[in-house]
Amino acid sequence: MAVIELTVPDIGDVSDAAVIELLVKPGDTIKAEQSLITIESDKASMEVPSAVGGVLKELRVRLGDKVSKGSLVGLLETADGAATEVVAPPVAATPAPVADAAPAAADRTHPTAALATLAMPPLSAVSHASPSVRRFARELGVPLQKVPGSGPKGRITHVDVQNFVKGVMARADQPAAVSAGGGAGSADLGGMTLLPWPSVDFTKFGAVERQPLSRIKKISGANLHRNWVRIPHVTNHDEADITELEALRVKLNEEHAKTGTKFTMLAFLLKACAVALRKFPQFNASLDGDDLVLKQYVHIGFAADTPNGLVVPVIRDVDSKSLSQLATETAALAAKARDGKLSPGEMQGGCFSISSLGGFGGTTFTPIINAPEVAILGVCRSAMKPVWNGSAFEPRLMLPLSLSYDHRVIDGASAARFNTYLASLLADFRRALV
Ligand code: CAO
């Protein structure tokens, strides 16, 4: 254990910069590169991250204090005397708005460890926002420097970012310009002009209750909106005869009753989709500018309904997992999703998604593609239907499949082939061996 002093390092020709934000408090466990305070001079503002990790024992600055090079910011207890290993954090660890600024070397004099910091860009280039707002903006792809700040001293708030997104999506009087789909750069949405969002005083018509959207709803809503607007969706509807498959599923569940493994329709769907994705690689791909990135792995996400909204956990390497593994893993991830305990890593890396509403009902729907994927399978409730077998109608259990695809990448014939093949696998899994 060692307690080190954190001081303000060389910040150029700036002195007497005001502390305008305290981002940590005593007792907090600080990670290396985590921002501690925000300081502001008459020219610019910046966040000052800690170069080392540890527990903050004391914060020696208050809001409004003036600091210069060498000012004591706080005392940090490090687990292993990290004071002797102070390294400036890499540029990539600093928030986007100032990412073009190079970190200054930390003061290596001991036992005083200087905070790692950034050279200061001109004020006009600086977006004044907390790390959580910056993270939020990054998640939504919002360029912070374009967002007007409504907080004290022009700080950008969560609401400012939301309003910016709303403004872009619903701008009525000019073409919307957003960053290009499937690649870098920007694209004009072709002069699309939208009416402003209706502003209605609902209380004029009766009692109402206002509920803020959950964090998940806000994030997933913005993503769904972007994907819906920017991907030319087409949905191919088909039906799979799962009469034999359902009989097998019921039998497997009886046989494995003691193990607790529940063979769900979702597990079979994952397996069948993995086989189909291997056969039709363009469905296992992402658009990146003018390139199609074909993935050599098969990771599939499934939409999970939670009390706070929709999340999409991802099962990795579906093609190399057994049905029981898939059943166990989906059950565990769905439970984690409901408890709000999924880690970001468990929702990343998907190549394709499945949205199964079979347990809820419906006959068909149009699932929205989960960018940067290029297709998604929607599944509704199976139903017994009379199917003509060439000489008579037979009762068969039919599963509705709705395959939405990005028409920039996949044409209608390919989608019909994919869906037909998928249906044939579900009708008879032995086809996977062919
Ligand atoms: N047809 C008929 N019944 C079905 C079915 C289908 N296609 N799929 C599942 N069922 C039945 C099951 O047999 C089970 O019935 P029992 O309880 O009587 O055994 C019940 O529905 C629940 O099914 P399950 O335990 O297999 O769960 P699941 O795999 O269907 O669903 C999960 C798991 C996490 C995918 C689901 O809970 C969920 O959250 N789905 C929501 C997806 C969603 O919101 N999509 C919309 C996104 S917008 O694009």
Side-chain angles (χ1 to χ4, degrees), residues 249 262 264 266 303-305 355-360 380-382 399:
R249 195 182 74 82
K262 184 179 173 193
T264 58
L266 182 60
D305 183 43
S355 176
S356 173
L357 292 173
F360 304 91
C380 284
R381 183 183 285 275
S382 56
L399 181 73

Side-chain angles (χ1 to χ4, degrees), residues 206-278:
V208 297
E209 183 197 335
R210 196 168 274 271
Q211 286 183 346
L213 289 178
S214 70
R215 198 179 70 83
I216 290 180
K217 276 230 160 85
K218 281 192 263 190
I219 293 172
S220 65
N223 277 290
L224 288 165
H225 194 167
R226 177 200 56 203
N227 299 346
W228 183 245
V229 169
R230 288 169 57 187
I231 300 174
H233 281 70
V234 182
T235 306
N236 179 289
H237 300 286
D238 207 339
E239 282 183 324
D241 183 338
I242 57 162
T243 316
E244 325 297 350
L245 183 63
E246 180 60 10
L248 172 67
R249 195 182 74 82
V250 170
K251 193 156 175 270
L252 286 174
N253 279 332
E254 282 165 9
E255 287 170 9
H256 289 76
K258 286 199 186 122
T259 66
T261 304
K262 184 179 173 193
F263 289 85
T264 58
M265 189 50 68
L266 182 60
F268 284 97
L269 287 164
L270 282 162
K271 200 72 203 168
C273 284
V275 175
L277 288 169
R278 283 282 185 211

Side-chain angles (χ1 to χ4, degrees), residues 148-384:
S150 65
K153 294 196 169 190
R155 289 188 81 69
I156 299 167
T157 65
H158 275 88
V159 174
D160 294 330
V161 176
Q162 284 163 1
N163 286 342
F164 178 84
V165 173
K166 283 182 194 163
V168 168
M169 303 312 285
R171 197 167 294 142
D173 52 354
Q174 59 186 52
V178 293
S179 68
S186 64
D188 188 328
L189 285 185
M192 184 166 73
T193 303
L194 301 173
L195 288 174
W197 194 255
S199 170
V200 179
D201 177 6
F202 301 103
T203 58
K204 280 203 308 206
F205 307 104
V208 297
E209 183 197 335
R210 196 168 274 271
Q211 286 183 346
L213 289 178
S214 70
R215 198 179 70 83
I216 290 180
K217 276 230 160 85
K218 281 192 263 190
I219 293 172
S220 65
N223 277 290
L224 288 165
H225 194 167
R226 177 200 56 203
N227 299 346
W228 183 245
V229 169
R230 288 169 57 187
I231 300 174
H233 281 70
V234 182
T235 306
N236 179 289
H237 300 286
D238 207 339
E239 282 183 324
D241 183 338
I242 57 162
T243 316
E244 325 297 350
L245 183 63
E246 180 60 10
L248 172 67
R249 195 182 74 82
V250 170
K251 193 156 175 270
L252 286 174
N253 279 332
E254 282 165 9
E255 287 170 9
H256 289 76
K258 286 199 186 122
T259 66
T261 304
K262 184 179 173 193
F263 289 85
T264 58
M265 189 50 68
L266 182 60
F268 284 97
L269 287 164
L270 282 162
K271 200 72 203 168
C273 284
V275 175
L277 288 169
R278 283 282 185 211
K279 189 174 170 73
F280 298 92
Q282 85 211 78
F283 286 76
N284 198 39
S286 284
L287 198 54
D288 185 15
D290 290 334
D291 292 338
L292 193 61
V293 181
L294 296 154
K295 291 145 195 184
Q296 308 295 309
Y297 48 85
V298 183
H299 303 339
I300 303 181
F302 64 96
D305 183 43
T306 79
N308 289 321
L310 185 69
V311 290
V312 186
V314 174
I315 310 269
R316 295 189 185 272
D317 301 311
V318 175
D319 53 335
S320 60
K321 287 186 176 156
S322 68
L323 272 175
S324 58
Q325 279 177 305
L326 295 174
T328 309
E329 220 175 298
T330 47
L333 285 172
K336 265 179 133 179
R338 278 191 294 275
D339 295 343
K341 292 193 175 145
L342 284 176
S343 67
E346 286 170 319
M347 293 183 277
Q348 288 167 358
C351 311
F352 180 84
S353 297
I354 299 178
S355 176
S356 173
L357 292 173
F360 304 91
T363 53
T364 56
F365 71 113
T366 307
I368 298 178
I369 297 163
N370 192 11
E373 297 165 16
V374 294
I376 179 171
L377 179 74
V379 181
C380 284
R381 183 183 285 275
S382 56
M384 277 306 217

Side-chain angles (χ1 to χ4, degrees), residues 83-99:
T84 56
E85 291 296 327
V86 175
V87 178
V91 176
T94 48
V98 287

